[in-house]
Amino acid sequence: MTWNWDVAKDFLPELGRGLLITLEATALGSVLAFALGLVWAMAFRSPTRFVRWPVAAVVEFIRNTPLLVQLFFFYYVLPTWDIKFSALTTGVIALGLHYSTYTAEVYRAGIDGVPKGQWEAATALSLSRSRTWAAVILPQAIRRVVPALGNYVIAMLKDSPMLALIGVVDMLQKARAEGASSFQYIEPYTMVGIAFIVIAYPASLLMRALERRLGH
């Protein structure tokens, strides 16, 4: 089997369109994961066990269930209860919810890393609990965990091809369609692999550099 440059050239526009969908799913999933993860992390520190325990149970259940199972559940099971979303929306929800359980642990580590004296200083200044979180604790905690959060964005990017299994027309789905129509598989799949490397590798280098800089 030899490389066919004509097939590669013809597939390039389709690859670009699939790439946009891949990046959209990753970006939206990341926003959801970061927001929900912060909610879980703050719930872990709730003084009420009736908040902590259910949240901990939900987080552990999601974290220990494969992403693919969750994806199929949202796409195939929820419609039987009249809850239906588009394939892309379903993929974003599955990615965001799944990775929120990991970002929650990242946030929790960042919050635990804030010196105890910061809490005491906020108390001495008579700051309310919400003001303490917003103005004192979270800015310091989030700064500490930015590199780790970035690594999960990269992980989501690499998991995004799973969305093709529910019909999201991302790069992988484009490659499958191209291979089925031209019977040339090496070009589209190789190009998809290269596209992921081109995006993920520089991003991982950036996260490492950022981690070193914030660590000083």
Side-chain angles (χ1 to χ4, degrees):
M1 184 177 293
T2 59
W3 182 270
N4 189 323
W5 285 105
D6 290 333
V7 172
K9 181 180 178 181
D10 292 341
F11 178 62
L12 194 57
E14 292 298 313
L15 177 68
R17 285 188 278 271
L19 175 61
L20 291 177
I21 298 298
T22 297
L23 294 178
E24 181 181 0
T26 303
L28 294 176
S30 298
V31 171
L32 182 59
F34 294 163
L36 277 179
L38 186 57
V39 172
W40 304 145
M42 294 181 69
F44 290 152
R45 297 187 68 92
S46 171
T48 307
R49 65 188 179 194
F50 296 109
V51 174
R52 293 196 310 271
W53 291 357
V55 168
V58 169
V59 167
E60 286 300 320
F61 178 80
I62 295 172
R63 185 186 301 146
N64 290 286
T65 308
L67 173 59
L68 188 57
V69 173
Q70 296 168 12
L71 193 63
F72 282 178
F73 181 86
F74 291 142
Y75 193 70
Y76 293 110
V77 177
L78 289 187
T80 64
W81 299 331
D82 294 325
I83 303 173
K84 188 172 183 179
F85 304 101
S86 68
L88 180 59
T89 300
T90 301
V92 167
I93 293 173
L95 280 175
L97 184 61
H98 185 79
Y99 275 94
S100 72
T101 63
Y102 295 98
T103 60
E105 290 301 320
V106 173
Y107 283 126
R108 182 158 67 170
I111 292 169
D112 289 343
V114 175
K116 185 178 180 180
Q118 298 293 312
W119 294 90
E120 295 172 348
T123 301
L125 292 172
S126 299
L127 296 181
S128 65
R129 184 175 178 83
S130 60
R131 182 64 176 168
T132 299
W133 276 107
V136 179
I137 305 304
L138 289 182
Q140 296 181 65
I142 292 175
R143 182 179 182 275
R144 295 167 180 266
V145 302
V146 165
L149 293 177
N151 289 332
Y152 280 118
V153 174
I154 297 171
M156 269 187 274
L157 173 69
K158 292 188 289 186
D159 275 346
S160 65
M162 289 188 187
L163 306 190
L165 297 176
I166 60 170
V168 175
V169 189
D170 64 346
M171 291 192 293
L172 181 60
Q173 191 76 309
K174 292 286 188 181
R176 292 172 63 184
E178 176 65 26
S181 63
S182 65
F183 299 102
Q184 296 284 337
Y185 292 93
I186 185 171
E187 293 84 4
Y189 284 119
T190 300
M191 292 170 70
V192 168
I194 292 173
F196 275 107
I197 293 173
V198 168
I199 299 169
Y201 184 65
S204 65
L205 293 179
L206 177 62
M207 290 302 106
R208 291 175 193 170
L210 186 60
E211 185 173 7
R212 288 193 297 269
R213 181 168 182 177
L214 293 177
H216 291 315

